[in-house]
């Protein structure tokens, strides 16, 4: 069974392509490589031991997408293609509205004429803003978004919900990710931040290998166990498996819309993540405390009861596994050829 993966060469998309193949599906990747590299496709192929079908295209290109859909005839879609840097979205909001919203609408106009049985959307816990209650569950209030990026996830959920309400042969699953980290245990695929990473784990591994001088921990006076922010860090392979579980269930359901948190259900502080890195890398990390980062939520982690109960999905990897795999990936990166130097600032 063919499954279309928009943004399938990205961090979560590439791991989901592997998980789909391991589960007997046939992924078809459409990606414009704005935030990926052609070697990612080669490395997916190395992991799974077979060729992958992929197209280098932006999903806003209606004619191109239509041709691909007619040729491949997928039964399901997993939609990852989007920009995801919170800071960048504040500085350049139109890029986010264009790619995450307008291109989504263009894409839906094309799939409107196709029979897509199961559609899975890449959403984020960012839709909850500062939650009133932790762990946060799926029925928590959606708060005004902090950033244009967060707003595009809220709007994306709404557009898709309205679209799929009118379809009686398709199902929609919205997956709200907590903090995806780690890399494939093989060290062949992982996260490829452009320039200086804004996310914690790529920054840590880059500081560990010497690409960055030191990590700044943003804030040490939060009302948490050690004063640093708490997040729910989920291994990207566990997250990829959640997509497969959601897709499979969606293929059996018809005419329904489901929303699931994807997290471990456990909170870890910034210092916990640093400690896990120091343990698996067997080296100290150079870090200092700095001021709080604007817009950071002090503490958030998931209530993951629903996805465990309804999709029989369970996270398997620990925080240390996450850091061990991210570190292996970082050490491997120099082996891979980038199409441009800019990605490796
Ligand atoms: C952000 C997004 C989230 C997205 C995730 C992964 C929001 C509110 N959050 O999460 O939707 O899924 O990125 O792309 O939009 N930290 C440091 N020093 C650093 C970097 C980070 O101390 O150099 C701290 C942060 O203050 C935070 C934690 O590490 O407490 C995690 O930060 P980060 O990896 O950027 O993820 P989030 O901001 O939680």
């Amino acid at each position: 069974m063919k499954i279309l993966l928009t943004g399938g060469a990205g961090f979560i998309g590439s791991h989901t392509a592997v998980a789909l193949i391991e589960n007997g599906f046939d992924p078809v990747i459409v990606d414009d490589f704005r935030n990926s590299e052609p070697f990612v496709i080669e490395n997916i192929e190395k992991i799974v031991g077979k060729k992958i079908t992929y197209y280098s295209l932006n999903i806003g290109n209606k004619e191109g997408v239509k041709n691909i859909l007619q040729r491949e005839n997928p039964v399901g879609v997993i939609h990852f293609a989007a920009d995801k840097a919170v800071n960048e979205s504040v500085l350049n909001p139109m890029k986010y509205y264009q790619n995450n919203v307008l291109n989504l609408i263009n894409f839906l106009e094309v799939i409107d004429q196709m029979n897509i049985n199961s559609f899975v959307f890449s959403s984020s816990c960012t839709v909850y803003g500062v939650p009133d209650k932790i762990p946060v569950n799926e029925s928590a209030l959606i708060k005004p978004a902090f950033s244009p990026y967060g707003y595009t996830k809220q709007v994306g959920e709404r557009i898709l919900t309205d679209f799929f309400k009118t379809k009686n042969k398709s199902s929609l699953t919205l997956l709200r990710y907590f903090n995806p980290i780690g890399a494939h245990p093989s060290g062949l695929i992982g996260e490829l931040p452009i320039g200086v990473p804004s996310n914690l784990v790529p920054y840590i591994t880059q500081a560990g290998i010497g690409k960055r001088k030191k990590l700044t921990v943003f804030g040490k006076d939060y009302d948490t166990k050690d004063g640093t922010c708490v997040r729910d860090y989920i291994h990207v392979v566990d997250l990829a498996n959640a997509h497969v579980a959601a897709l499979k269930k969606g293929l059996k359901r018809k005419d329904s819309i489901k929303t699931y948190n994807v997290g471990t259900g456990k909170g870890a502080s910034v210092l916990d993540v640093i400690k896990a890195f120091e343990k698996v890398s067997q080296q100290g990390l150079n870090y200092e405390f700095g001021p709080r980062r604007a817009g950071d939520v002090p503490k958030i982690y998931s209530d993951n009861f629903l996805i465990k109960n309804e999709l029989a999905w369970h996270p398997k990897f620990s925080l240390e596994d996450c850091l061990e795999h991210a570190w292996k990936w970082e050490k491997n990166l120099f082996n891979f050829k980038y199409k441009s130097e800019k990605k490796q600032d």
Side-chain angles (χ1 to χ4, degrees):
M1 260 190 268
K2 288 192 179 176
I3 308 297
L4 190 80
L5 295 190
T6 74
F11 177 40
I12 304 163
S14 57
H15 291 81
T16 302
V18 171
L20 283 169
I21 292 170
E22 287 168 352
N23 282 272
F25 291 98
D26 197 1
V28 175
I29 291 175
V30 178
D31 199 302
D32 64 3
F33 291 89
R34 69 173 59 199
N35 198 11
S36 183
E37 293 287 325
F39 76 74
V40 172
I41 301 288
E42 288 163 30
N43 286 4
I44 296 174
E45 291 173 345
K46 279 186 199 151
I47 295 170
V48 297
K50 62 183 247 186
K51 284 277 172 203
I52 298 286
T53 310
Y54 77 96
Y55 297 89
S56 185
L57 189 84
N58 184 281
I59 52 125
N61 179 337
K62 286 199 207 174
E63 242 354 87
V65 172
K66 196 171 162 193
N67 289 339
I68 294 169
L69 284 166
Q70 280 169 350
R71 184 178 322 154
E72 303 288 351
N73 204 17
V75 294
V77 171
I78 306 183
H79 178 59
F80 297 106
D83 285 301
K84 62 168 188 179
V86 177
N87 287 349
E88 185 192 43
S89 79
V90 176
L91 298 172
N92 191 358
M94 292 318 285
K95 178 177 174 188
Y96 282 71
Y97 294 126
Q98 172 76 46
N99 195 33
N100 298 9
V101 181
L102 196 57
N103 286 344
L104 171 65
I105 294 171
N106 285 339
F107 182 56
L108 290 179
E109 276 175 16
V110 179
I111 70 161
D112 199 19
Q113 291 128 41
M114 306 285 301
N115 287 324
I116 300 297
N117 298 329
S118 178
F119 191 106
V120 181
F121 178 60
S122 172
S123 188
S124 166
C125 71
T126 195
V127 300
Y128 297 121
V130 182
D132 295 326
K133 202 174 132 242
I134 302 168
V136 61
N137 70 26
E138 291 82 352
S139 44
L141 269 187
I142 301 298
K143 301 279 187 63
F146 281 135
S147 65
Y149 160 75
Y151 188 55
T152 65
K153 289 296 167 191
Q154 295 180 343
V155 171
E157 286 196 358
R158 177 65 196 260
I159 290 171
L160 284 161
T161 302
D162 291 341
F163 178 84
F164 279 96
K165 264 187 202 155
T166 67
K167 306 271 163 231
N168 54 14
K169 288 196 181 120
S170 321
S171 65
L172 167 68
T173 313
L174 307 172
L175 294 183
R176 292 180 179 158
Y177 315 154
F178 280 67
N179 286 58
I181 59 166
H184 193 267
S186 63
L188 287 170
I189 51 173
E191 196 168 356
L192 280 175
I194 301 177
V196 182
S198 54
N199 291 124
L200 180 63
V201 171
Y203 205 105
I204 288 179
T205 57
Q206 290 199 3
I209 211 157
K211 284 184 193 162
R212 310 280 155 216
K213 255 201 180 130
K214 63 168 82 147
L215 170 81
T216 302
V217 176
F218 299 138
K220 60 170 180 181
D221 56 355
Y222 284 102
D223 184 16
T224 57
K225 62 173 187 177
D226 57 22
T228 65
C229 287
V230 167
R231 296 285 182 277
D232 185 339
Y233 294 95
I234 175 86
H235 195 293
V236 64
V237 172
D238 280 329
L239 180 56
N241 287 325
H243 288 81
V244 177
L247 177 94
K248 275 189 185 165
K249 189 77 169 219
L251 288 172
K252 290 188 202 138
R253 292 190 330 246
K254 289 216 167 20
D255 190 16
S256 71
I257 298 167
K258 291 274 184 183
T259 303
Y260 298 107
N261 282 340
V262 196
T264 62
K266 290 183 218 136
S269 70
V270 177
L271 292 181
D272 288 335
V273 180
I274 294 173
K275 268 184 231 143
F277 172 77
E278 289 182 329
K279 187 166 173 204
V280 301
S281 66
Q282 299 178 307
Q283 65 179 56
L285 184 77
N286 194 10
Y287 70 90
E288 64 183 4
F289 289 100
R292 292 180 176 198
R293 181 172 69 176
D296 265 341
V297 175
K299 187 174 179 177
I300 186 167
Y301 55 91
S302 67
D303 176 335
N304 61 6
F305 172 81
L306 208 59
I307 186 166
K308 279 159 109 181
N309 198 40
E310 294 190 3
L311 299 187
W313 170 88
H314 295 269
K316 296 193 179 77
F317 292 100
S318 67
L319 185 62
E320 282 178 13
D321 295 332
C322 291
L323 273 298
E324 185 187 328
H325 299 151
W327 183 228
K328 185 173 180 184
W329 163 246
E330 182 71 58
K331 288 188 293 182
N332 245 357
L333 265 175
F334 75 92
N335 289 315
F336 308 132
K337 239 172 105 196
Y338 283 68
K339 65 177 186 274
S340 68
E341 289 304 310
K342 130 177 169 267
K343 301 272 165 98
Q344 294 188 88
D345 288 352

